[in-house]
Amino acid sequence: MKGILYGIGVGIGTSSGLSISALETIKKCDVIFFPNKSRDDCRAYQIVNSYLNELETKKLCFCDFPMTKDEKSLAQAWEKCAGMICDDLKEKNVAFLTIGDPSLYSTFFYIKELVEKNGFKTQIIAGIPSFCAVAAKLGMSLALENEQIHIIPDTDDLEKIFLLSGTLVFMKSGKNLSKLKDFLISHKAQIREFGAVSNCGFENEKIMRSPEELDEKLYLTVVIVKKND
Amino acid sequence: MKGILYGIGVGIGTSSGLSISALETIKKCDVIFFPNKSRDDCRAYQIVNSYLNELETKKLCFCDFPMTKDEKSLAQAWEKCAGMICDDLKEKNVAFLTIGDPSLYSTFFYIKELVEKNGFKTQIIAGIPSFCAVAAKLGMSLALENEQIHIIPDTDDLEKIFLLSGTLVFMKSGKNLSKLKDFLISHKAQIREFGAVSNCGFENEKIMRSPEELDEKLYLTVVIVKKND
């Protein structure tokens, strides 16, 4: 009997919001794929492990994807992972975990497409996105009334982005965060409300209340900016 | 002993993703406020009731907010609700439930401000937003790589909105949905991918795969549009 591939969002932060649906779906899968090279590196593993006693009785696969923009290397990694998943799907249900929500910037969609091409069914279980968890942590609203929200994964053309009305959500780390920091400091007069969280929900979480506190050495940082419109 | 007011997102749809954190927090509250006039009208009640056996042993308050833009009427309703919550907070923990996530277009933020002014603490428990649940239902990604996402609660100036790059998420019903439908049909040649869901996760759920299927009689509809950029 053919199984189903479930793309499951596990939220972010060990204390945060794994959903009941996610937990129940993981329980009924015999095989769990994690998008990291080992359990020590894998936040999705840490989140699920804190809720699911019988996790170690399942077949756990750690599937590494190179941190590159080289399309050929990426395509090879996706195909290798999809091939392994298809082998398991011949007889078993498989879960592929992503932090946050699978519909937001997740490798799962490349795997999904390849697995569906091989004739298998897939289903997505939504998760709490990082920017909602971060807003909750900060006690900030993302939007009220008719305010727009813009999710910005890049830092190209910040001048143009800053013209957008409503709330800007930046998801960045490293060099791009440094660039964003400089930009926000120089445009501080236009900022009505600011908040940022790095490693949200984990032990090394850092909450920042001004652009000056942003630190490029931190892992994925979510920055929320509301302007004086 | 003073209690804490928890603003709790319960996701959308009875089969969807109430989080473990949300469920655990509701369990430890003695008083639950719902943002509707009765349990029959209240989706948050339906969601929580399907997971929490002991719900009826708690004090349940149904707090209606007028469907108006009149600021005075709204302010009165918020103050009345906040007053009732503050009374309970003198001795008990209180949960205020919102569908989706509290940081997204939720009345909770007005209540939170009033309650904090009265010297009480508040805390937010994030939930799965409607647009993530809808993307999961449709099997669509909201964004990949460096794509931007724009959450659009209004339908003013659709021509300008349609110039934004990346994914457009519209959250509308009624007349505004009708206006959006006409606009999208007339701009169909520019649409690469389309999906919409009304009443996501409920018995009367409707999935729509083209702008022509949009129906202004439906309750809150989430529309996802990806353009030919």
Side-chain angles (χ1 to χ4, degrees):
Chain A
M1 198 201 71
K2 275 186 184 182
I4 293 174
L5 170 63
Y6 295 93
I8 302 176
V10 298
I12 62 165
T14 45
S15 65
S16 100
L18 189 72
S19 76
I20 295 168
S21 302
L23 194 59
E24 285 175 355
T25 309
I26 295 168
K27 278 182 184 170
K28 75 179 180 192
C29 289
D30 303 300
V31 186
I32 321 280
F33 274 77
F34 297 89
N36 292 80
K37 67 172 186 278
S38 75
R39 66 189 65 195
D40 296 335
D41 297 309
C42 185
R43 288 179 176 235
Y45 173 84
Q46 291 159 33
I47 292 169
V48 174
N49 191 42
S50 63
Y51 286 113
L52 198 71
N53 297 328
E54 69 268 34
L55 187 61
E56 301 298 332
T57 65
K58 298 176 183 292
K59 178 180 167 187
L60 306 183
C61 300
F62 292 86
C63 213
D64 198 18
F65 300 105
M67 291 294 274
T68 173
K69 291 193 176 180
D70 177 54
E71 290 184 14
K72 202 176 160 192
S73 309
L74 283 170
Q76 278 176 347
W78 297 332
E79 272 174 31
K80 188 182 162 197
C81 178
M84 288 164 69
I85 288 172
C86 288
D87 279 346
D88 284 319
L89 283 172
K90 286 172 191 158
E91 295 182 352
K92 293 166 181 166
N93 287 318
V94 177
F96 182 99
L97 305 194
T98 67
I99 57 167
D101 175 66
S103 71
L104 295 158
Y105 308 104
S106 161
T107 304
F108 175 71
F109 272 83
Y110 304 105
I111 305 296
K112 175 181 181 283
E113 198 183 334
L114 294 168
V115 164
E116 286 175 351
K117 265 190 197 162
N118 278 282
F120 294 100
K121 282 190 180 161
T122 67
Q123 194 178 320
I124 297 172
I125 310 293
I128 294 174
S130 57
F131 51 82
C132 290
V134 162
K137 182 68 70 173
L138 293 164
M140 263 174 95
S141 74
L142 285 165
L144 294 169
E145 309 294 335
N146 279 328
E147 289 172 347
Q148 297 180 2
I149 305 167
H150 308 279
I151 317 290
I152 315 290
D154 209 339
T155 45
D156 294 343
D157 213 351
L158 287 171
E159 290 284 355
K160 193 177 162 197
I161 287 166
F162 221 61
L163 295 176
L164 296 169
S165 77
T167 304
L168 305 175
V169 177
F170 297 95
M171 307 206 287
K172 278 294 124 200
S173 50
K175 270 187 199 166
N176 284 318
L177 186 60
S178 179
K179 185 182 164 190
L180 176 63
K181 175 181 177 171
D182 291 343
F183 182 88
L184 293 178
I185 290 173
S186 66
H187 289 71
K188 210 174 166 185
Q190 289 167 258
I191 298 175
R192 173 167 57 91
E193 213 176 335
F194 174 97
V197 181
S198 178
N199 298 301
C200 185
F202 288 91
E203 273 181 22
N204 53 349
E205 175 181 276
K206 187 174 175 187
I207 295 175
M208 293 152 279
R209 298 281 181 184
S210 76
E212 288 82 357
E213 292 176 60
L214 289 171
D215 180 349
E216 71 212 61
K217 291 185 294 297
L218 296 172
Y219 184 72
L220 187 67
T221 302
V222 176
V223 180
I224 302 174
V225 174
K226 295 187 184 185
K227 288 172 304 142
N228 298 314
D229 277 335
Chain B
M1 196 202 72
K2 275 187 183 181
I4 294 173
L5 170 63
Y6 295 94
I8 302 177
V10 298
I12 63 165
T14 45
S15 65
S16 99
L18 188 72
S19 75
I20 295 169
S21 302
L23 194 59
E24 284 175 355
T25 309
I26 295 168
K27 279 183 184 169
K28 75 179 179 191
C29 289
D30 301 301
V31 186
I32 323 281
F33 274 77
F34 297 90
N36 293 80
K37 69 172 184 278
S38 75
R39 65 189 67 194
D40 296 335
D41 298 309
C42 185
R43 288 177 176 236
Y45 173 83
Q46 292 159 34
I47 293 170
V48 174
N49 191 41
S50 64
Y51 287 113
L52 198 71
N53 297 327
E54 70 269 32
L55 187 61
E56 301 298 332
T57 65
K58 297 176 183 292
K59 177 179 168 187
L60 306 185
C61 300
F62 292 86
C63 211
D64 200 18
F65 300 104
M67 291 294 273
T68 173
K69 290 191 176 179
D70 176 56
E71 288 183 15
K72 202 176 161 192
S73 309
L74 283 170
Q76 278 176 349
W78 297 332
E79 271 175 31
K80 188 182 162 197
C81 179
M84 290 164 70
I85 288 172
C86 287
D87 279 346
D88 284 318
L89 282 173
K90 286 171 192 160
E91 293 182 354
K92 293 166 181 166
N93 288 318
V94 177
F96 183 99
L97 305 193
T98 68
I99 57 166
D101 175 67
S103 71
L104 295 158
Y105 308 105
S106 163
T107 304
F108 176 70
F109 273 84
Y110 304 106
I111 304 297
K112 174 180 181 286
E113 197 182 336
L114 293 168
V115 164
E116 286 175 351
K117 265 188 196 164
N118 278 282
F120 295 100
K121 283 190 180 162
T122 67
Q123 193 178 321
I124 298 171
I125 310 292
I128 294 174
S130 57
F131 51 82
C132 290
V134 162
K137 182 67 71 171
L138 294 163
M140 265 174 93
S141 75
L142 285 166
L144 295 169
E145 310 292 335
N146 279 329
E147 290 172 346
Q148 298 180 2
I149 305 168
H150 308 279
I151 317 291
I152 315 289
D154 208 339
T155 47
D156 294 342
D157 213 351
L158 287 172
E159 290 285 356
K160 193 178 162 197
I161 287 166
F162 222 62
L163 294 175
L164 296 170
S165 75
T167 303
L168 304 175
V169 178
F170 297 96
M171 307 207 287
K172 277 294 125 200
S173 51
K175 269 186 199 165
N176 284 319
L177 186 59
S178 179
K179 184 182 165 192
L180 177 63
K181 175 182 178 171
D182 291 343
F183 181 87
L184 293 178
I185 290 174
S186 67
H187 289 71
K188 212 175 164 182
Q190 289 167 258
I191 298 174
R192 173 167 58 89
E193 213 177 336
F194 175 96
V197 182
S198 178
N199 297 301
C200 185
F202 288 93
E203 274 181 22
N204 54 350
E205 174 181 276
K206 187 174 174 187
I207 295 175
M208 293 152 280
R209 298 284 182 182
S210 76
E212 288 83 355
E213 293 176 59
L214 288 172
D215 180 349
E216 71 212 60
K217 291 186 295 297
L218 297 172
Y219 184 72
L220 187 68
T221 302
V222 176
V223 180
I224 302 174
V225 174
K226 294 187 185 185
K227 290 172 302 142
N228 298 313
D229 277 334

